[in-house]
Amino acid sequence: MWARGALVGFGIFLCAGSPAIAQELRIGLASEPTSIDPHYHALSPNNGIAQHIFDRLVSTDATERLVPQLAESWKVSEDGLVWEFKLRPGVQWHDGSPFTADDVLYSFERVPAVPNSPGPFTYATKGKTLTKVDDLTVRISSAVPSPLTPNDMAAVYIVSKKSAAKSATPDFNSGIGAIGTGPFKFEKYTPGDQIVVVRNDGYWGEKAAWARVIFKPIKSGPSRASALLAGDVDVIDDVPTTDIEKLRTDARVDLSQVASNRSIFFSMDQFRDESPFITAKDGAAIKNPLRDKRVRLALSKAVNREAIIGRVMERAALPASQYLPEGYFGILPGAKPVTYDPEGAKKLLADAGFPNGFKLKLHGPSGRYTNDARIIEVVAQMFTRVGIETAVETLPPGPFFQRASQGAAGGVPEFSMALLGWSPSTGENSGALKPQLMSFNRDKGTGTANRGRYSNTEFDALVDEALRTVDDKKRAELLAKATQMAIDDTAWIPLHYQINTWAAKKGVVVTPRSDELTLAMGIKQK
């Protein structure tokens, strides 16, 4: 039995030109990874770099369909409790040692043991027991049927037991522990400056087109576009929305675009009686209003999504009603975004006991998502118009995610309300519902990215049942029902789905990916 991969919306692909073959590729990245350790942080910039150095048992193509990687094939037992993965023979680590089942088992043991992880990969490993059959066969068993095990395998990077067992996260960042089986080898990581990888000529699969790749973090969108036009880099990702049309008509540049599976949304503190960044208008302490569903819905109604898409995103986005757009497995079909209704928002606030509103500080990253800081500022103005006096604080992505995950006393999320984004690694809706909205439980690996600590036992039960339901039709129905429940609760505030845009110098062809990763393996010369 084969788990299904999800397909995505549309693609736009433009290219022309035929420059001379070059050996070095320079990529301007909008977002810098927080570590080279592939188990440290489940974050797209980290995953993008990790895929150059490390492999997984199962990979995904540009439209998120599952494809074999270190596992050549997999099958499931009739009761759905045991998956068997046949590993690829002849694979070598970058240091020349052979890849075996021992490395797979060690990688799964390491995932929950990485210290201070702000976004662990335990959502993909919890509840699974790995057994070595022989050097090239691994069995993964669970107490209940686990139809998404192959999808989960696409989230877990396999590290060398030999090198990783004596390496902490800083050792990966220095290169000591960054020994993979991937198409590139680690050369250098200078935070804030560059990440350099070189071609692995002993790679088991298709050899990379580039001998050396330099990733340059360039946080500013205009600066990335300028760097491309000046010839300082060959490719940029997350093209500034204000520059898309200008670059589209520039003869020196090719664009590629695809609809993203990433939703942008706000999480809200729903677990504290008093929230740290919410007060009465006069600054006095008040009970946390975000625990009232009416207040959460009022905030959602106060957001003019079409205005954000038109004025901030320059139409390079689609309004969101849930975590994934139409066409993905397990969504709620036909769901509509919350209608902009400022008067309705004011009435809900009054009904909840806040006729004069309250004071709120919004938090978010600056330079992680397209136009993130601008979005937060615009939404703050929208909240202020309905009576919620709103301030804004943005932070660099690294400190932001650390504080958003465990910045408050006791290692709990710090912020009252924060802008976030999510791109499900499973390619289906459970890949958002499990980490984002299931009750936080470190032991079970649920709610690992639930930074508002939304908790609903009925919702948890529905998603739990879906995760052990092998029948696709029934699983999709359960996930849709759970989504409806979370929407009815206003468990989070969806804003929009991004449209991913890359720009490259003429003749360099970028394969656009719905997961927004910028992979040198998908960049060729025409």
PDB file of all heavy atoms in Angstrom, residues 232-256:
ATOM      1  N   ASP A 232      25.444  40.269  -8.792  1.00  0.00           N
ATOM      2  CA  ASP A 232      26.091  39.763  -7.582  1.00  0.00           C
ATOM      3  C   ASP A 232      25.596  38.365  -7.223  1.00  0.00           C
ATOM      4  O   ASP A 232      26.304  37.605  -6.561  1.00  0.00           O
ATOM      5  CB  ASP A 232      25.831  40.708  -6.405  1.00  0.00           C
ATOM      6  CG  ASP A 232      26.457  42.082  -6.624  1.00  0.00           C
ATOM      7  OD1 ASP A 232      27.472  42.156  -7.344  1.00  0.00           O
ATOM      8  OD2 ASP A 232      25.926  43.070  -6.083  1.00  0.00           O
ATOM      9  N   VAL A 233      24.376  38.045  -7.606  1.00  0.00           N
ATOM     10  CA  VAL A 233      23.831  36.699  -7.427  1.00  0.00           C
ATOM     11  C   VAL A 233      23.170  36.279  -8.734  1.00  0.00           C
ATOM     12  O   VAL A 233      22.849  37.119  -9.583  1.00  0.00           O
ATOM     13  CB  VAL A 233      22.820  36.627  -6.262  1.00  0.00           C
ATOM     14  CG1 VAL A 233      23.508  36.905  -4.929  1.00  0.00           C
ATOM     15  CG2 VAL A 233      21.655  37.565  -6.473  1.00  0.00           C
ATOM     16  N   ASP A 234      22.950  34.982  -8.882  1.00  0.00           N
ATOM     17  CA  ASP A 234      22.357  34.450 -10.106  1.00  0.00           C
ATOM     18  C   ASP A 234      20.857  34.189  -9.965  1.00  0.00           C
ATOM     19  O   ASP A 234      20.129  34.190 -10.957  1.00  0.00           O
ATOM     20  CB  ASP A 234      23.041  33.133 -10.483  1.00  0.00           C
ATOM     21  CG  ASP A 234      24.540  33.289 -10.600  1.00  0.00           C
ATOM     22  OD1 ASP A 234      24.989  34.169 -11.349  1.00  0.00           O
ATOM     23  OD2 ASP A 234      25.268  32.532  -9.922  1.00  0.00           O
ATOM     24  N   VAL A 235      20.420  33.950  -8.729  1.00  0.00           N
ATOM     25  CA  VAL A 235      19.024  33.611  -8.445  1.00  0.00           C
ATOM     26  C   VAL A 235      18.624  34.277  -7.140  1.00  0.00           C
ATOM     27  O   VAL A 235      19.434  34.366  -6.213  1.00  0.00           O
ATOM     28  CB  VAL A 235      18.834  32.080  -8.313  1.00  0.00           C
ATOM     29  CG1 VAL A 235      17.405  31.744  -7.883  1.00  0.00           C
ATOM     30  CG2 VAL A 235      19.172  31.371  -9.622  1.00  0.00           C
ATOM     31  N   ILE A 236      17.386  34.742  -7.060  1.00  0.00           N
ATOM     32  CA  ILE A 236      16.836  35.177  -5.776  1.00  0.00           C
ATOM     33  C   ILE A 236      15.481  34.515  -5.570  1.00  0.00           C
ATOM     34  O   ILE A 236      14.760  34.224  -6.527  1.00  0.00           O
ATOM     35  CB  ILE A 236      16.691  36.710  -5.674  1.00  0.00           C
ATOM     36  CG1 ILE A 236      15.725  37.250  -6.734  1.00  0.00           C
ATOM     37  CG2 ILE A 236      18.037  37.384  -5.750  1.00  0.00           C
ATOM     38  CD1 ILE A 236      15.373  38.727  -6.552  1.00  0.00           C
ATOM     39  N   ASP A 237      15.165  34.252  -4.300  1.00  0.00           N
ATOM     40  CA  ASP A 237      13.836  33.748  -3.991  1.00  0.00           C
ATOM     41  C   ASP A 237      13.011  34.863  -3.354  1.00  0.00           C
ATOM     42  O   ASP A 237      13.514  35.963  -3.109  1.00  0.00           O
ATOM     43  CB  ASP A 237      13.900  32.509  -3.099  1.00  0.00           C
ATOM     44  CG  ASP A 237      14.504  32.767  -1.726  1.00  0.00           C
ATOM     45  OD1 ASP A 237      14.790  33.931  -1.386  1.00  0.00           O
ATOM     46  OD2 ASP A 237      14.698  31.789  -0.971  1.00  0.00           O
ATOM     47  N   ASP A 238      11.746  34.583  -3.120  1.00  0.00           N
ATOM     48  CA  ASP A 238      10.838  35.541  -2.474  1.00  0.00           C
ATOM     49  C   ASP A 238      10.996  36.928  -3.108  1.00  0.00           C
ATOM     50  O   ASP A 238      11.297  37.915  -2.436  1.00  0.00           O
ATOM     51  CB  ASP A 238      11.103  35.595  -0.975  1.00  0.00           C
ATOM     52  CG  ASP A 238       9.982  36.285  -0.220  1.00  0.00           C
ATOM     53  OD1 ASP A 238       8.951  36.602  -0.841  1.00  0.00           O
ATOM     54  OD2 ASP A 238      10.143  36.513   0.995  1.00  0.00           O
ATOM     55  N   VAL A 239      10.787  36.984  -4.419  1.00  0.00           N
ATOM     56  CA  VAL A 239      10.911  38.254  -5.135  1.00  0.00           C
ATOM     57  C   VAL A 239       9.958  39.280  -4.517  1.00  0.00           C
ATOM     58  O   VAL A 239       8.788  38.975  -4.283  1.00  0.00           O
ATOM     59  CB  VAL A 239      10.587  38.070  -6.634  1.00  0.00           C
ATOM     60  CG1 VAL A 239      10.572  39.410  -7.362  1.00  0.00           C
ATOM     61  CG2 VAL A 239      11.614  37.131  -7.272  1.00  0.00           C
ATOM     62  N   PRO A 240      10.431  40.485  -4.206  1.00  0.00           N
ATOM     63  CA  PRO A 240       9.541  41.497  -3.635  1.00  0.00           C
ATOM     64  C   PRO A 240       8.313  41.700  -4.518  1.00  0.00           C
ATOM     65  O   PRO A 240       8.429  41.816  -5.741  1.00  0.00           O
ATOM     66  CB  PRO A 240      10.411  42.757  -3.596  1.00  0.00           C
ATOM     67  CG  PRO A 240      11.822  42.260  -3.622  1.00  0.00           C
ATOM     68  CD  PRO A 240      11.795  40.988  -4.415  1.00  0.00           C
ATOM     69  N   THR A 241       7.152  41.698  -3.906  1.00  0.00           N
ATOM     70  CA  THR A 241       5.924  41.812  -4.693  1.00  0.00           C
ATOM     71  C   THR A 241       5.889  43.094  -5.510  1.00  0.00           C
ATOM     72  O   THR A 241       5.327  43.125  -6.608  1.00  0.00           O
ATOM     73  CB  THR A 241       4.709  41.745  -3.764  1.00  0.00           C
ATOM     74  OG1 THR A 241       4.841  42.730  -2.733  1.00  0.00           O
ATOM     75  CG2 THR A 241       4.585  40.371  -3.139  1.00  0.00           C
ATOM     76  N   THR A 242       6.533  44.146  -5.000  1.00  0.00           N
ATOM     77  CA  THR A 242       6.538  45.425  -5.722  1.00  0.00           C
ATOM     78  C   THR A 242       7.418  45.375  -6.964  1.00  0.00           C
ATOM     79  O   THR A 242       7.314  46.250  -7.823  1.00  0.00           O
ATOM     80  CB  THR A 242       7.031  46.554  -4.802  1.00  0.00           C
ATOM     81  OG1 THR A 242       8.286  46.164  -4.213  1.00  0.00           O
ATOM     82  CG2 THR A 242       6.021  46.822  -3.691  1.00  0.00           C
ATOM     83  N   ASP A 243       8.285  44.354  -7.059  1.00  0.00           N
ATOM     84  CA  ASP A 243       9.224  44.281  -8.186  1.00  0.00           C
ATOM     85  C   ASP A 243       8.849  43.231  -9.221  1.00  0.00           C
ATOM     86  O   ASP A 243       9.535  43.095 -10.240  1.00  0.00           O
ATOM     87  CB  ASP A 243      10.639  43.965  -7.672  1.00  0.00           C
ATOM     88  CG  ASP A 243      11.260  45.131  -6.925  1.00  0.00           C
ATOM     89  OD1 ASP A 243      10.847  46.278  -7.179  1.00  0.00           O
ATOM     90  OD2 ASP A 243      12.160  44.896  -6.091  1.00  0.00           O
ATOM     91  N   ILE A 244       7.793  42.456  -8.962  1.00  0.00           N
ATOM     92  CA  ILE A 244       7.486  41.343  -9.866  1.00  0.00           C
ATOM     93  C   ILE A 244       7.245  41.816 -11.292  1.00  0.00           C
ATOM     94  O   ILE A 244       7.839  41.290 -12.248  1.00  0.00           O
ATOM     95  CB  ILE A 244       6.275  40.542  -9.335  1.00  0.00           C
ATOM     96  CG1 ILE A 244       6.681  39.734  -8.093  1.00  0.00           C
ATOM     97  CG2 ILE A 244       5.741  39.582 -10.408  1.00  0.00           C
ATOM     98  CD1 ILE A 244       5.535  38.991  -7.428  1.00  0.00           C
ATOM     99  N   GLU A 245       6.381  42.796 -11.469  1.00  0.00           N
ATOM    100  CA  GLU A 245       6.069  43.236 -12.824  1.00  0.00           C
ATOM    101  C   GLU A 245       7.263  43.882 -13.502  1.00  0.00           C
ATOM    102  O   GLU A 245       7.488  43.704 -14.701  1.00  0.00           O
ATOM    103  CB  GLU A 245       4.870  44.190 -12.800  1.00  0.00           C
ATOM    104  CG  GLU A 245       3.556  43.502 -12.478  1.00  0.00           C
ATOM    105  CD  GLU A 245       3.304  42.283 -13.365  1.00  0.00           C
ATOM    106  OE1 GLU A 245       3.468  42.394 -14.598  1.00  0.00           O
ATOM    107  OE2 GLU A 245       2.956  41.220 -12.819  1.00  0.00           O
ATOM    108  N   LYS A 246       8.049  44.637 -12.744  1.00  0.00           N
ATOM    109  CA  LYS A 246       9.242  45.267 -13.319  1.00  0.00           C
ATOM    110  C   LYS A 246      10.233  44.211 -13.801  1.00  0.00           C
ATOM    111  O   LYS A 246      10.777  44.311 -14.917  1.00  0.00           O
ATOM    112  CB  LYS A 246       9.902  46.174 -12.273  1.00  0.00           C
ATOM    113  CG  LYS A 246      11.165  46.867 -12.766  1.00  0.00           C
ATOM    114  CD  LYS A 246      11.763  47.755 -11.683  1.00  0.00           C
ATOM    115  CE  LYS A 246      12.382  46.931 -10.567  1.00  0.00           C
ATOM    116  NZ  LYS A 246      13.094  47.781  -9.572  1.00  0.00           N
ATOM    117  N   LEU A 247      10.447  43.180 -12.987  1.00  0.00           N
ATOM    118  CA  LEU A 247      11.390  42.133 -13.371  1.00  0.00           C
ATOM    119  C   LEU A 247      10.842  41.277 -14.504  1.00  0.00           C
ATOM    120  O   LEU A 247      11.603  40.770 -15.339  1.00  0.00           O
ATOM    121  CB  LEU A 247      11.717  41.255 -12.165  1.00  0.00           C
ATOM    122  CG  LEU A 247      12.537  41.928 -11.058  1.00  0.00           C
ATOM    123  CD1 LEU A 247      12.683  41.002  -9.866  1.00  0.00           C
ATOM    124  CD2 LEU A 247      13.906  42.344 -11.565  1.00  0.00           C
ATOM    125  N   ARG A 248       9.519  41.121 -14.556  1.00  0.00           N
ATOM    126  CA  ARG A 248       8.922  40.320 -15.619  1.00  0.00           C
ATOM    127  C   ARG A 248       9.226  40.904 -17.001  1.00  0.00           C
ATOM    128  O   ARG A 248       9.329  40.178 -17.988  1.00  0.00           O
ATOM    129  CB  ARG A 248       7.410  40.218 -15.412  1.00  0.00           C
ATOM    130  CG  ARG A 248       6.756  39.116 -16.249  1.00  0.00           C
ATOM    131  CD  ARG A 248       5.243  39.170 -16.142  1.00  0.00           C
ATOM    132  NE  ARG A 248       4.758  39.022 -14.779  1.00  0.00           N
ATOM    133  CZ  ARG A 248       4.631  37.863 -14.160  1.00  0.00           C
ATOM    134  NH1 ARG A 248       4.978  36.743 -14.766  1.00  0.00           N
ATOM    135  NH2 ARG A 248       4.163  37.811 -12.927  1.00  0.00           N
ATOM    136  N   THR A 249       9.363  42.205 -17.062  1.00  0.00           N
ATOM    137  CA  THR A 249       9.605  42.861 -18.356  1.00  0.00           C
ATOM    138  C   THR A 249      11.077  43.177 -18.597  1.00  0.00           C
ATOM    139  O   THR A 249      11.425  43.781 -19.605  1.00  0.00           O
ATOM    140  CB  THR A 249       8.797  44.173 -18.435  1.00  0.00           C
ATOM    141  OG1 THR A 249       9.176  45.041 -17.358  1.00  0.00           O
ATOM    142  CG2 THR A 249       7.301  43.888 -18.345  1.00  0.00           C
ATOM    143  N   ASP A 250      11.945  42.763 -17.684  1.00  0.00           N
ATOM    144  CA  ASP A 250      13.379  43.018 -17.837  1.00  0.00           C
ATOM    145  C   ASP A 250      13.995  41.890 -18.657  1.00  0.00           C
ATOM    146  O   ASP A 250      13.912  40.708 -18.285  1.00  0.00           O
ATOM    147  CB  ASP A 250      14.035  43.101 -16.453  1.00  0.00           C
ATOM    148  CG  ASP A 250      15.451  43.658 -16.512  1.00  0.00           C
ATOM    149  OD1 ASP A 250      16.251  43.165 -17.335  1.00  0.00           O
ATOM    150  OD2 ASP A 250      15.765  44.582 -15.737  1.00  0.00           O
ATOM    151  N   ALA A 251      14.631  42.234 -19.762  1.00  0.00           N
ATOM    152  CA  ALA A 251      15.184  41.236 -20.683  1.00  0.00           C
ATOM    153  C   ALA A 251      16.327  40.433 -20.065  1.00  0.00           C
ATOM    154  O   ALA A 251      16.717  39.390 -20.592  1.00  0.00           O
ATOM    155  CB  ALA A 251      15.663  41.915 -21.963  1.00  0.00           C
ATOM    156  N   ARG A 252      16.873  40.912 -18.961  1.00  0.00           N
ATOM    157  CA  ARG A 252      17.999  40.218 -18.326  1.00  0.00           C
ATOM    158  C   ARG A 252      17.548  39.141 -17.344  1.00  0.00           C
ATOM    159  O   ARG A 252      18.377  38.419 -16.795  1.00  0.00           O
ATOM    160  CB  ARG A 252      18.870  41.233 -17.564  1.00  0.00           C
ATOM    161  CG  ARG A 252      19.486  42.323 -18.429  1.00  0.00           C
ATOM    162  CD  ARG A 252      20.092  43.406 -17.554  1.00  0.00           C
ATOM    163  NE  ARG A 252      19.055  44.149 -16.824  1.00  0.00           N
ATOM    164  CZ  ARG A 252      19.314  45.055 -15.881  1.00  0.00           C
ATOM    165  NH1 ARG A 252      20.575  45.300 -15.540  1.00  0.00           N
ATOM    166  NH2 ARG A 252      18.331  45.691 -15.275  1.00  0.00           N
ATOM    167  N   VAL A 253      16.250  39.041 -17.135  1.00  0.00           N
ATOM    168  CA  VAL A 253      15.738  38.245 -16.022  1.00  0.00           C
ATOM    169  C   VAL A 253      14.652  37.278 -16.479  1.00  0.00           C
ATOM    170  O   VAL A 253      13.857  37.588 -17.367  1.00  0.00           O
ATOM    171  CB  VAL A 253      15.167  39.185 -14.925  1.00  0.00           C
ATOM    172  CG1 VAL A 253      14.501  38.395 -13.809  1.00  0.00           C
ATOM    173  CG2 VAL A 253      16.267  40.077 -14.366  1.00  0.00           C
ATOM    174  N   ASP A 254      14.611  36.097 -15.870  1.00  0.00           N
ATOM    175  CA  ASP A 254      13.505  35.155 -16.027  1.00  0.00           C
ATOM    176  C   ASP A 254      12.822  34.974 -14.677  1.00  0.00           C
ATOM    177  O   ASP A 254      13.491  34.891 -13.641  1.00  0.00           O
ATOM    178  CB  ASP A 254      14.009  33.791 -16.515  1.00  0.00           C
ATOM    179  CG  ASP A 254      14.460  33.822 -17.963  1.00  0.00           C
ATOM    180  OD1 ASP A 254      13.851  34.566 -18.738  1.00  0.00           O
ATOM    181  OD2 ASP A 254      15.424  33.100 -18.295  1.00  0.00           O
ATOM    182  N   LEU A 255      11.505  34.875 -14.687  1.00  0.00           N
ATOM    183  CA  LEU A 255      10.732  34.620 -13.476  1.00  0.00           C
ATOM    184  C   LEU A 255      10.139  33.219 -13.516  1.00  0.00           C
ATOM    185  O   LEU A 255       9.838  32.691 -14.584  1.00  0.00           O
ATOM    186  CB  LEU A 255       9.577  35.622 -13.339  1.00  0.00           C
ATOM    187  CG  LEU A 255       9.887  37.078 -13.037  1.00  0.00           C
ATOM    188  CD1 LEU A 255       8.587  37.841 -12.822  1.00  0.00           C
ATOM    189  CD2 LEU A 255      10.786  37.215 -11.822  1.00  0.00           C
ATOM    190  N   SER A 256       9.950  32.645 -12.350  1.00  0.00           N
ATOM    191  CA  SER A 256       9.165  31.416 -12.235  1.00  0.00           C
ATOM    192  C   SER A 256       8.290  31.539 -10.997  1.00  0.00           C
ATOM    193  O   SER A 256       8.713  32.071  -9.974  1.00  0.00           O
ATOM    194  CB  SER A 256      10.066  30.180 -12.153  1.00  0.00           C
ATOM    195  OG  SER A 256      10.977  30.284 -11.079  1.00  0.00           O
TER     196      SER A 256
END
